[in-house]
Every structure is written in C-alpha cells, then in structure tokens.
Amino acid sequence: MSKKSDKWAWCCVAVMAALLIGDVVYLLAFEPRSSRPPATIQYDGQTLYRVDYPTVHDADTITDGVICLPFKAGIVGRSIRADYDAWEVTRGRQTVKVTDEELAKGKAARDALIEQLKTRTLYLGELPKELDIDPYDRVDSVWYFRDAGGKVSRVADWARAGGHLRSGK
C-alpha cells in the first residue's frame, strides 16, 4: 500500500469512529421517549415539571438540574428550593443556629433523598405567589415524587414521615 492509501484508510477509520461515538453519545443523552417519564404531567389541577439530573445539596435544595419544559426545552443552572424546611448540611445559613446534631440529621436526610431519586422522578409544581419569598433567587416550588407506576406524592409528606423537617410539621 502507498502512503496515500494508508492516509485514506486512517481517515476512513477516524470518520467511522467519530460517527460511532456520536451515535453512542446521542443514545445515552437522548433515551427513547418510551423509557423516560413525561416532561410534564397533570396532577391535582396543575402542571408539574420533571427535573432531570438533579444535584442534591440538602433535602430541600437542588443546586443544579434541568427543569423540563414543553417543546424539549428546559431551564438549566438554577437552584431549586422545596416548599418545606429540611435539616441543614452546612453552617452557611445565617438566619438559624445550626448544631452538630442538625448537621448529622441534614446529611442523613440528604442521603435519603438521593436514594429516593434513584427510583422516583422529581417533579415541580408552582408555589403560591405569597409563599415565594426565597431571598437567594432560587426557584421556589412544591416538590412531588412520581414512581415508576405513575403514582404521584408530595415530597414534603415523605420528608415529614422520615423526620427530615426542621419544624416537624
């Protein structure tokens, strides 16, 4: 084989590899529609929005994720605050005294939420405007779980039952 044909062969191999890698990345990033929960669902008279790739900070705050919207659009890069107050995982909150005991409870609550999100999908509902008072510019919302069977439940109820709320209410 000549050097020119060797270069041509390597070029063909590189192009084929790039196409194959592109297909794999596409399949991983964009799963078939039938295997993904719907981007939005109707529940209790309102539209709920799915959160993809949530990064859990604590049991009431997602620091990153994609809030799925219709038309395959999404909101990216916003922190998301739940409609309940869970135990803290750091001493960064200035408005309350955070003890070592609370930090331990906060880490347990965070880990429990992460475990729940392995088998359930997080959805967000709109918070009444009078309750949207977050001073940190987070998206304030009512959080819901949706299980694989389609059953929807409030995350606040799960947090309350697990002892993950600061007030217990």
Side-chain angles (χ1 to χ4, degrees):
M1 280 174 91
S2 70
K3 289 192 181 260
K4 191 172 190 177
S5 63
D6 284 349
K7 287 181 181 178
W8 177 250
W10 280 111
C11 182
C12 288
V13 168
V15 168
M16 294 301 288
L19 291 172
L20 180 62
I21 290 170
D23 287 343
V24 169
V25 168
Y26 177 82
L27 289 173
L28 291 175
F30 302 102
E31 302 168 40
R33 284 183 185 223
S34 61
S35 68
R36 296 188 78 166
T40 62
I41 58 174
Q42 293 297 312
Y43 179 75
D44 202 23
Q46 68 173 318
T47 301
L48 305 183
Y49 302 89
R50 187 181 74 224
V51 178
D52 283 347
Y53 318 111
T55 301
V56 177
H57 170 72
D58 59 24
D60 64 13
T61 306
I62 301 292
T63 55
D64 198 7
V66 178
I67 302 171
C68 299
L69 302 173
F71 309 108
K72 296 184 182 179
I75 298 171
V76 180
R78 294 285 308 274
S79 289
I80 306 165
R81 173 79 166 80
D83 58 317
Y84 55 86
D85 191 19
W87 300 109
E88 301 299 324
V89 296
T90 67
R91 295 186 195 280
R93 188 169 170 187
Q94 302 297 313
T95 57
V96 297
K97 182 177 191 287
V98 179
T99 64
D100 290 340
E101 178 185 5
E102 176 163 356
L103 291 175
K105 288 180 180 180
K107 290 173 184 171
R110 175 198 59 208
D111 294 346
L113 178 59
I114 290 169
E115 282 302 310
Q116 290 296 310
L117 292 175
K118 290 179 180 177
T119 59
R120 295 169 145 185
T121 303
L122 180 64
Y123 280 84
L124 307 178
E126 190 172 352
L127 191 68
K129 298 295 182 214
E130 65 274 9
L131 299 178
D132 186 359
I133 58 168
D134 187 75
Y136 303 107
D137 194 36
R138 296 176 288 194
V139 174
D140 284 348
S141 57
V142 181
W143 289 14
Y144 296 87
F145 285 134
R146 181 178 186 264
D147 66 23
K151 182 181 176 200
V152 177
S153 58
R154 290 277 307 269
V155 178
D157 295 338
W158 165 85
R160 185 176 304 103
H164 303 308
L165 301 183
R166 294 187 92 240
S167 66
K169 297 178 186 176

